[in-house]
Amino acid sequence: MTLNLRYDQGRIRKYHYFMLLSLIQKYKKISRSQLAKLTKMSNTSVGKIIKNLIDDELVIEAGQTDGEIGRRAALLEINPIGSFIIGVEMDKNGVKIAIVTLTGEVIRERQFAFDPDQEPYRLLDKLGEEITILLSKMDSSINKKIIAIGISIPGLITWPEGKALRVPQFHWENINIKAYLEEKLDFVVYVDNHVRTVLLAESLYGNMRNYNNSVCIYIGSGVGGAAMVNGEMLRGHRNTLGEIGHMILDPHGTVCDCGRLGCLQTFICSSELEKQAQMPMQEIFSAYKEREDWAVKLINRAQSYLGLAISNVICIYNPEAILIAGPMIEEFPILIDNIQDEVNKYIWAPLSNSFHLVYPEIGRSSGVIGASALVLNEFLRFTNDDV
Ligand SMILES: [Zn+2]
């Protein structure tokens, strides 16, 4: 049956349609002849498909290439308001809902707090109501152009089913987020782990744009990871690939919240450092700045284990770039002061200088923008899956 697809002209046209759209997204501004060169398609074929993309309002002409007079060509770019995505970020601090453009701009946002012990499906009911309220305040021309809903959540999420196997922050187990919301709302819903959405957001709109082989290490109240190879998000058998926080680095170390000893996160995440020092992170870092011996030891050890983790991750994935993200880095950048030196201490010689350490461009809105990036990524991935 799949063999016949090769001869299905409609599908091939669709394939080229999304391929050109994803190239325009990647290069930001590109001419028709540059697209023809990149794809080895004829100028005529590219011209026809671009006309469809412009007619569908997904692409616009914006400016011209530099060059000799008479040889200038129109540059194409994504029409940011050609379609919109609803991005949702859920964590213990509350729920944020945003309408996001195709270029990652938030045009309207709404948020609400909730009790993490609330019955899970009642919280999803509330989320559905809040999305409906947000949409009722938007112009109907925008509502008509919404592609789908993306949800970013810190937990173990199945893919593509969008079921939360475990969300420790809310004490959730086996909650069918995608199925439940799709039934309630008239939209397709994508749900994924927060760290993956952060890496996707930076890859589509931020500092990771130029890297096809990348890893994210995310440090907050726990430690998470995500990896992309050849521009594709790696998920593993149960969509849990990259859970580096629970790699055991010292079998004689302190107890992790997973019940085992010496997991990576026991050395670097905020909840564990707070537990060990018996005080909030702010005070730990103040003591570190005052050069109090215990605090210097604790933070130096955290830096050292972060360097160790990065060098181990480089051995596994051989990435071009490593995104180091999360609230711990945003709030206490001191943690990464000498991180390149720390990595250099542990890196396997053949891989030294093979990678860039990168910090986020998007920052605090990365949750809702990342959730929208999850949708856009699936939309553009049509080229890989459905042909
Ligand atoms: Zn653990």
Side-chain angles (χ1 to χ4, degrees):
M1 183 160 157
T2 42
L3 280 178
N4 291 334
L5 293 180
R6 286 188 58 179
Y7 302 102
D8 182 334
Q9 284 303 318
R11 273 187 172 264
I12 288 175
R13 264 200 300 277
K14 255 187 175 162
Y15 169 84
H16 288 145
Y17 180 95
F18 284 99
M19 179 173 69
L20 293 184
L21 184 62
S22 75
L23 286 170
I24 297 166
Q25 151 70 30
K26 183 173 173 186
Y27 287 90
K28 304 299 165 206
K29 281 179 189 289
I30 191 166
S31 70
R32 289 171 177 80
S33 60
Q34 286 166 330
L35 281 169
K37 256 186 219 151
L38 271 173
T39 56
K40 299 193 171 68
M41 287 165 69
S42 70
N43 284 323
T44 318
S45 304
V46 168
K48 274 185 196 160
I49 295 165
I50 295 300
K51 184 177 181 310
N52 289 341
L53 284 165
I54 291 175
D55 289 347
D56 292 345
E57 296 182 6
L58 289 174
V59 168
I60 46 174
E61 289 187 342
Q64 295 195 320
T65 53
D66 292 330
E68 297 297 312
I69 293 171
R71 299 193 55 190
R72 289 188 177 178
L75 284 170
L76 303 162
E77 64 179 36
I78 295 281
N79 178 10
I81 54 167
S83 288
F84 299 88
I85 298 165
I86 298 174
V88 177
E89 175 183 20
M90 303 177 77
D91 68 24
K92 63 178 188 312
N93 300 317
V95 179
K96 273 191 209 163
I97 309 166
I99 308 280
V100 188
T101 67
L102 291 184
T103 47
E105 304 286 327
V106 172
I107 56 166
R108 184 74 79 97
E109 197 172 66
R110 187 175 174 86
Q111 40 189 300
F112 65 95
F114 67 98
D115 172 6
D117 291 320
Q118 185 175 7
E119 205 281 315
Y121 291 103
R122 295 298 74 75
L123 173 59
L124 293 179
D125 286 341
K126 167 85 172 152
L127 172 60
E129 284 158 21
E130 293 285 336
I131 288 174
T132 310
I133 294 171
L134 180 63
L135 290 176
S136 71
K137 294 178 189 251
M138 304 298 296
D139 195 286
S140 67
S141 65
I142 289 179
N143 289 358
K144 270 189 257 162
K145 291 182 179 174
I146 289 173
I147 309 174
I149 299 173
I151 300 181
S152 158
I153 190 162
L156 296 182
I157 312 295
T158 62
W159 183 268
E161 303 84 4
K163 178 176 173 181
L165 295 179
R166 256 185 99 230
V167 183
Q169 287 190 10
F170 317 159
H171 321 295
W172 283 11
E173 279 185 17
N174 299 319
I175 305 300
N176 280 307
I177 304 175
K178 176 182 165 77
Y180 189 78
L181 287 175
E182 282 184 347
E183 171 116 15
K184 266 190 97 62
L185 303 164
D186 194 17
F187 286 106
V188 174
V189 178
Y190 296 96
V191 190
D192 208 350
N193 170 277
H194 180 64
V195 182
R196 267 190 246 297
T197 63
V198 168
L199 179 55
L200 273 174
E202 291 291 334
S203 298
L204 283 173
Y205 312 121
N207 284 341
M208 298 295 272
R209 263 193 296 260
N210 298 323
Y211 305 111
N212 278 329
N213 292 286
S214 57
V215 169
C216 172
I217 296 181
Y218 188 92
I219 311 165
S221 61
V223 174
M228 292 179 88
V229 170
N230 295 331
E232 281 288 305
M233 183 61 75
L234 298 184
R235 300 187 172 279
H237 172 50
R238 295 180 69 194
N239 199 32
T240 54
L241 184 144
E243 288 292 340
I244 58 170
H246 296 287
M247 293 194 306
I248 292 177
L249 295 192
D250 178 3
H252 308 293
T254 51
V255 184
C256 179
D257 66 7
C258 71
R260 301 172 311 152
L261 302 179
C263 291
L264 168 64
Q265 67 180 32
T266 63
F267 297 100
I268 52 178
C269 77
S270 58
S271 62
E272 293 287 339
L273 295 187
E274 286 175 341
K275 211 165 34 176
Q276 289 161 31
Q278 305 261 301
M279 65 176 70
M281 276 323 298
Q282 203 67 49
E283 289 176 30
I284 298 175
F285 276 96
S286 299
Y288 174 79
K289 280 185 195 152
E290 301 292 323
R291 307 306 292 169
E292 286 184 38
D293 194 41
W294 65 269
V296 171
K297 276 192 187 141
L298 193 71
I299 298 304
N300 284 353
R301 191 189 68 172
Q303 291 168 330
S304 183
Y305 273 85
L306 181 56
L308 185 58
I310 293 170
S311 71
N312 285 343
V313 159
I314 289 168
C315 273
I316 301 172
Y317 295 108
N318 183 207
E320 296 165 85
I322 296 159
L323 176 71
I324 305 176
M328 275 288 270
I329 307 297
E330 284 163 29
E331 288 164 37
F332 309 107
I334 237 168
L335 196 63
I336 43 171
D337 253 4
N338 304 308
I339 197 63
Q340 185 73 53
D341 294 341
E342 291 295 337
V343 177
N344 291 346
K345 274 188 207 163
Y346 299 109
I347 191 83
W348 182 44
L351 292 178
S352 59
N353 306 317
S354 68
F355 58 91
H356 301 277
L357 295 179
V358 178
Y359 302 100
E361 182 178 339
I362 296 167
R364 291 193 177 275
S365 294
S366 66
V368 283
I369 294 174
S372 79
L374 181 67
V375 174
L376 183 60
N377 191 53
E378 285 310 301
F379 189 59
L380 298 175
R381 274 182 81 256
F382 178 88
T383 51
N384 300 319
D385 279 358
D386 295 328
V387 175

